Amino acid sequence: VTTSQSSLIGTVLFNFAFTSALPSWVNEKKSDVPVGVTFWTTMSFVVVLYSLVGIIGGMAYSPFYDTNENLFSKLNASGSRIGQITVAAYPMLQNV
């Protein structure tokens, strides 16, 4: 699809920042809550949700896979105030 995926590494690692919160959650959970089932159910939900948002968002614009743009750069450049607010709000909501 593209010639280089190196720009995705930081994004992927940042999106999976649960590694810092997981030990705290495991220490506070009740003993009858299964860690594996809870973890994989949550991860499956997140992967499906991220995929749907990415696919539907990507389908909203003409193909730009041969450029350096991503969905956020398209939303910022669109001139839509809601698109710009979405791009600004995403990192903040990601950390809530």
Side-chain angles (χ1 to χ4, degrees):
V1 173
T2 65
T3 58
S4 174
Q5 299 295 324
S6 62
S7 62
L8 294 176
I9 293 172
T11 303
V12 170
L13 291 177
F14 177 72
N15 282 334
F16 290 104
F18 65 84
T19 55
S20 62
L22 191 60
S24 297
W25 174 78
V26 170
N27 287 333
E28 294 182 18
K29 74 171 188 64
K30 295 189 181 206
S31 60
D32 61 333
V33 176
V35 175
V37 173
T38 305
F39 177 78
W40 287 113
T41 301
T42 304
M43 288 305 297
S44 299
F45 174 75
V46 168
V47 166
V48 169
L49 188 64
Y50 273 47
S51 298
L52 285 174
V53 168
I55 291 168
I56 293 170
M59 289 170 40
Y61 295 97
S62 58
F64 56 91
Y65 48 81
D66 56 347
T67 68
N68 290 338
E69 295 180 300
N70 59 34
L71 188 55
F72 281 167
S73 63
K74 282 288 201 185
L75 286 171
N76 256 342
S78 70
S80 164
R81 192 72 176 137
I82 285 195
Q84 293 169 347
I85 290 170
T86 301
V87 171
Y90 181 78
M92 293 181 271
L93 294 172
Q94 184 78 19
N95 290 304
V96 171

